[in-house]
Amino acid sequence: MSDEIPGRVQAELTRLRAERQVFTAEQDRLKAKLAETEHELREATAGASPNEGDSAELNQKLASQQEELDVAKARLRALEAEVLLAHQQRDTLRAELKTCREERDKLRLALLDAELVVSAGVVDADILPGGEPSADRQRLLNAERLAAEMARELDATRRTVSWRVTAPLRVVRKKMDRP
């Protein structure tokens, strides 16, 4: 399949896949850190007793972890937006690739039509790829194609060794049939 994708599109797909892997890894790391921070936050709030004198220190730790959590959430949203953009670009490239393939197929069919016309030995302005000749013209073209095909077969037969070997016998037979 990669043989059919143009190099420029293939390079862009490769770049987008690499970016998606990096974004996914970063997203997983941030989710893990978020879960860890939330767990530490629950432990810190559950383990703190009102009688301890370290409440100011715990509050400061809680505030810094909350800030880290907010930063991680913002980063996660930014990465999700970038992944969404990468998916949109991928879809656009796929649509462009589909259009290119359809155009390529149309051109191949037109080329095959042209090769058929040239191989039949007919070069006419009435026959253009995608155009239909009239019924009389079509019959004439079919007859010309049939005649050309028969001429090629006859020529091929005459080039065989057996035809050349039996040529003197045919000459003798023709002379014997004459009165």
Side-chain angles (χ1 to χ4, degrees):
M1 180 179 146
S2 64
D3 294 339
E4 297 177 18
I5 298 175
R8 185 182 64 151
V9 175
Q10 182 70 30
E12 184 65 18
L13 283 173
T14 303
R15 184 188 67 77
L16 289 174
R17 286 180 184 139
E19 283 182 7
R20 182 180 64 203
Q21 288 177 347
V22 169
F23 291 152
T24 304
E26 181 69 11
Q27 182 180 14
D28 292 343
R29 186 187 70 76
L30 290 173
K31 283 181 180 179
K33 188 171 182 177
L34 175 64
E36 179 184 349
T37 304
E38 286 177 346
H39 179 71
E40 289 177 3
L41 180 63
R42 276 189 236 110
E43 284 180 354
T45 55
S49 65
N51 296 337
E52 291 183 16
D54 297 331
S55 65
E57 183 181 325
L58 289 176
N59 284 338
Q60 185 180 13
K61 185 175 181 182
L62 177 63
S64 69
Q65 287 182 346
Q66 187 65 36
E67 287 177 19
E68 287 180 19
L69 179 63
D70 292 340
V71 168
K73 285 181 180 179
R75 180 92 192 254
L76 179 62
R77 283 191 296 272
L79 286 174
E80 287 173 344
E82 288 180 18
V83 167
L84 180 63
L85 179 63
H87 285 285
Q88 289 171 346
Q89 289 175 343
R90 178 203 61 205
D91 294 341
T92 302
L93 289 172
R94 283 183 178 167
E96 183 180 340
L97 178 62
K98 181 181 177 190
T99 303
C100 289
R101 286 181 176 163
E102 289 171 355
E103 185 178 344
R104 177 202 62 202
D105 293 342
K106 287 178 185 176
L107 290 173
R108 282 184 179 169
L109 288 175
L111 178 62
L112 286 174
D113 289 342
E115 287 176 348
L116 286 174
V117 168
V118 169
S119 70
V122 177
V123 178
D124 196 342
D126 291 343
I127 303 175
L128 295 174
E132 287 294 322
S134 66
D136 290 335
R137 184 72 178 147
Q138 185 65 39
R139 278 194 309 247
L140 176 64
L141 291 174
N142 287 339
E144 287 177 350
R145 285 186 187 127
L146 182 60
E149 183 180 334
M150 293 173 116
R152 282 192 297 273
E153 286 182 26
L154 183 58
D155 186 47
T157 301
R158 287 182 177 159
R159 282 185 275 139
T160 63
V161 172
S162 63
W163 183 266
R164 288 182 277 152
V165 167
T166 59
L169 296 174
R170 286 191 304 275
V171 170
V172 169
R173 187 177 67 194
K174 282 183 186 178
K175 288 184 179 185
M176 289 179 55
D177 288 341
R178 291 187 186 168

